[in-house]
Amino acid sequence: MAEIKRYGFMRHLRADAGVQVMRFRNGRPIRSGRGLAFWFVPHRASIAELPMDDRDMVLFFKGRSKDFQAVTVQGNLTWRVADPNVLGTRVDFSIDLKSGRHTAKPVEQIEALLTGMSQQLATQYFAQGAVHDLLNAGIEPLRVRLEQGLGGSERLAAMGIEIVAIRLAAIAPSAELERALQTP
């Protein structure tokens, strides 16, 4: 979060090195960079702040196998901003010029997009195999499918987002089905 101090009618912004600050005047970018510090007049400026560190998010999927059995998988997805200038024009990262906080929830918006895209890929994968086959195959085929689907996504590349890593836990059936499968 940017630190903004008030000195009369002027304000001073100081940002951490882990964020990209974009300053606009009359809708045009004036200055952009990491860890900037500068003076500005609030009624003539618009400022956006984008995180440049790797961001982790939790994935949790529920789906149905080809034989209509419920399966779940959970894991983590790590993403980062690959091109802040592109992402800054696609998602609203504007900050309040008094507090330095985002005026919207841009990170949550990106995570909702990634969750939706991942859920779609996982649901398609689950629907292609019987529950026994999914459990025997393990998590690697699903992880590879998510990595290829999200990593090769033109939509994410056009937004300036890059997938760093996907880690998944075991694919699990419902508790009742798991007990039934363990019964000799």
Side-chain angles (χ1 to χ4, degrees):
M1 181 175 84
E3 179 184 327
I4 299 177
K5 292 188 179 179
R6 184 178 180 168
Y7 299 97
F9 67 93
M10 296 287 291
R11 300 241 169 99
H12 185 264
L13 178 136
R14 186 178 59 146
D16 295 329
V19 295
Q20 175 92 7
V21 175
M22 300 171 71
R23 180 178 175 190
F24 297 89
R25 186 181 304 144
N26 298 327
R28 294 191 180 124
I30 294 176
R31 195 169 182 193
S32 179
R34 291 177 77 155
L36 295 180
F38 54 85
W39 292 92
F40 66 96
V41 179
H43 70 276
R44 291 181 31 197
S46 177
I47 300 172
E49 182 183 62
L50 289 83
M52 296 304 294
D53 56 343
D54 289 354
R55 296 287 172 137
D56 285 326
M57 58 179 275
V58 174
L59 297 175
F60 182 76
F61 306 125
K62 287 185 175 185
R64 292 201 181 273
S65 64
K66 190 175 184 179
D67 52 356
F68 303 105
Q69 299 298 319
V71 290
T72 60
V73 67
Q74 63 185 19
N76 287 340
L77 183 142
T78 305
W79 63 276
R80 71 178 188 88
V81 177
D83 190 346
N85 294 322
V86 172
L87 186 60
T89 61
R90 301 284 303 266
V91 178
D92 182 16
F93 280 92
S94 299
I95 60 172
D96 180 26
L97 299 181
K98 291 181 183 176
S99 66
R101 298 183 189 274
H102 286 112
T103 57
K105 296 183 178 181
V107 173
E108 289 86 352
Q109 182 181 351
I110 292 169
E111 288 180 353
L113 170 70
L114 292 172
T115 300
M117 292 175 73
S118 300
Q119 178 73 42
Q120 182 180 10
L121 291 167
T123 302
Q124 291 170 351
Y125 173 75
F126 292 149
Q128 291 177 349
V131 70
H132 194 269
D133 296 335
L134 293 173
L135 296 175
N136 286 340
I139 59 169
E140 189 60 22
L142 176 58
R143 190 194 64 75
V144 168
R145 177 171 287 196
L146 289 172
E147 206 168 72
Q148 289 172 347
L150 295 174
S153 171
E154 291 180 21
R155 182 176 182 188
L156 294 179
M159 287 182 70
I161 297 173
E162 180 180 350
I163 303 301
V164 177
I166 299 173
R167 295 165 307 284
L168 299 176
I171 295 176
S174 64
E176 298 83 22
L177 180 60
E178 190 170 16
R179 280 193 298 273
L181 289 172
Q182 292 173 354
T183 304

